[in-house]
Amino acid sequence: MKRIVSFGILASTVLAFASPVLAQTIFVSTQLRPIEEATVVREELLQDVGDVDYVVEEPPQFAVRMEAERQAGKHTVSLVGALHGELSPLADKNALEPLDDLAKKLAAGGMPQAVLDLGKLGKPNQQYIPWMQATYVMAARKEALQYLPAGTDVNALSYDQLIEWGKKMQEATGQPQIGFPAGPKGLMARYFQGYFYPSFTGGVVRTFQGAEAAAGWEKLKALWAFVTPNSTNYDFMQEPLAAGEVMVAWDHIARLKNAISASPDDYVVFPAPSGPKGRGYMPVVAGLAIPKGSPDKAGATKVIEHLTTPDVQLMTASRVGFFPTLNVKLPEDLDPGVALLAGAVTATQTSKDALISLLPVGLGDKGGEFNKVYMDAFQRIILRNEPVGDVLKAQAATLTKLMADTKARCWAPDARSDGPCPVQ
């Protein structure tokens, strides 16, 4: 890293593109949605690039809007910013403009070809331009380090060590000191898909209900004894960390950044724990794409070129905690908190037991239903203490139907499939 949906939604969308097209370049993004981040985009990252209307949408609404405009053949959106897996359905429907010329310029300007190739989405032409990247890490207040089990390397933490650490902190303070973003808008589903399941089973979909998954859930039960019950209210872990409500937390780097940047000397940042199958982690790549029928293709191209310049990429890292896709060196005077996060990302990527788990691909507008399978399992097993085997069997049936309905093939770390990814 240092080198770096409903009828109502559909109806409102139809009304939107039935209205006169505005003069601005309409830029719709599923990323940088929180008001603080969206303000940075509007007032800083898009400064001096023209008249751009930055519109944020939740992934389900984004999928419905783009499909409605595609089917109607009337377009208001000139540029989209979304995750790799959110752009894949658009590419599958041949709904994106090829961006080969832009990709060649960026390759010459320092964007690694391996990163650019992600934007092809398995097709001959460039479907999107990689915009920014991130992942999830753990952070701890330094006073928590005194309770680390003897001989533990925080950068090579195991689940057993995390459990012992949590136990020692709770015994010393009288309160559970570990926190997760399990609130309504938290990213806990990504923990299960990118970290927990890969670490314990080596997969996400195929391995959903096997013996290894059951053993993993039992281990999570043991860990949850030392997790604050308030976790079900937390959406961003930076607030409870900064307030001293927890000493140790897992979250997306952008949702830890404010606390760590405000007091970098108070924290350590490190990879998530490893399980029997390795140290699962989820690289998050967001891309910029131009929908076919874009009313302002030239303006959209200009915005992409602007957002992928070295200065703006570094500003993005500094201001919102998403790292460059360009191969640029982070400056020596970089925000110390961002530097801490960058170090943890590097430690994660270079861990000898690192196991990459990609974001879901091919689910279309069913991504929310996919997340719900894992969150329902969590609520039933961990919060309600229902029998692990019974819950996994029921949720596996839901997952099997979802994969069949979407025809989504397996993605890493699951082995490839010719048809819908099977739940074994």
Side-chain angles (χ1 to χ4, degrees), residues 58-80:
E58 296 281 349
Q61 287 121 337
F62 170 77
V64 170
R65 176 174 186 164
M66 298 311 297
E67 179 62 11
E69 295 203 4
R70 186 188 72 85
Q71 290 189 10
K74 296 180 180 180
H75 299 270
T76 63
V77 179
S78 293
L79 174 67
V80 296

Side-chain angles (χ1 to χ4, degrees), residues 79-393:
L79 174 67
V80 296
L83 296 178
H84 177 94
E86 295 163 355
L87 294 170
S88 180
L90 300 179
D92 289 343
K93 293 172 182 175
N94 196 31
L96 300 176
E97 291 280 358
L99 301 175
D100 299 272
D101 290 342
L102 262 177
K104 289 177 183 176
K105 289 181 182 178
L106 287 166
M111 187 173 289
Q113 192 61 48
V115 175
L116 275 167
D117 286 345
L118 290 172
K120 290 186 176 181
L121 290 166
K123 300 185 179 299
N125 299 106
Q126 194 78 28
Q127 302 295 305
Y128 73 79
I129 298 298
W131 173 20
M132 55 189 185
Q133 58 181 326
T135 190
Y136 302 75
V137 294
M138 295 197 75
R141 299 186 67 91
K142 284 186 176 177
E143 57 261 38
L145 296 178
Q146 63 186 303
Y147 306 113
L148 261 181
T152 298
D153 178 358
V154 75
N155 284 312
L157 198 66
S158 70
Y159 271 91
D160 286 336
Q161 290 169 333
L162 179 59
I163 289 169
E164 183 64 21
W165 192 9
K167 180 181 179 181
K168 288 178 177 293
M169 287 188 290
Q170 184 163 321
E171 288 173 347
T173 66
Q175 299 291 333
Q177 294 292 343
I178 300 174
F180 283 87
K185 294 184 179 180
L187 297 175
M188 193 69 183
R190 298 306 191 209
Y191 165 73
F192 292 114
Q193 298 155 12
Y195 295 80
F196 172 78
Y197 257 93
S199 296
F200 282 95
T201 75
V204 177
V205 175
R206 287 181 181 269
T207 58
F208 180 82
Q209 64 172 338
E212 292 170 333
W217 283 105
E218 294 293 350
K219 186 70 70 173
L220 189 61
K221 277 187 178 183
L223 173 62
W224 214 259
F226 309 111
V227 172
T228 176
N230 288 334
S231 288
T232 54
N233 299 317
Y234 294 151
D235 294 331
F236 288 54
M237 290 311 303
Q238 56 197 10
E239 287 91 349
L241 271 175
E245 294 177 23
V246 297
M247 288 186 181
V248 178
W250 173 95
D251 209 344
H252 190 286
I253 57 173
R255 296 181 173 210
L256 293 169
K257 175 186 174 296
N258 288 353
I260 296 168
S261 290
S263 302
D265 292 338
D266 293 343
Y267 296 96
V268 291
V269 190
F270 49 96
S274 64
K277 297 294 184 178
R279 194 174 306 278
Y281 83 95
M282 180 176 279
V284 180
V285 178
L288 299 164
I290 301 177
K292 283 191 174 176
S294 165
D296 187 11
K297 185 178 176 181
T301 301
K302 183 179 178 182
V303 173
I304 294 176
E305 290 175 333
H306 175 77
L307 290 175
T308 52
T309 58
D311 286 349
V312 176
Q313 290 255 297
L314 290 171
M315 186 189 303
T316 302
S318 178
R319 297 293 285 116
V320 297
F322 280 78
F323 292 98
T325 50
L326 288 175
N327 190 14
V328 293
K329 184 177 182 179
L330 298 179
E332 296 296 329
D333 61 350
L334 182 68
D335 177 299
V338 174
L340 277 176
L341 291 164
V345 173
T346 299
T348 299
Q349 293 174 328
T350 58
S351 294
K352 61 182 181 180
D353 54 355
L355 178 60
I356 290 178
S357 180
L358 297 180
L359 283 161
V361 177
L363 298 173
D365 60 1
K366 302 290 187 181
E369 294 180 30
F370 182 74
N371 291 344
K372 189 174 185 296
V373 169
Y374 294 85
M375 291 305 295
D376 283 354
F378 161 68
Q379 290 166 3
R380 294 178 63 182
I381 293 171
I382 303 301
L383 303 184
R384 300 177 195 165
N385 199 32
E386 294 183 28
V388 174
D390 293 350
V391 174
L392 292 183
K393 182 178 180 180

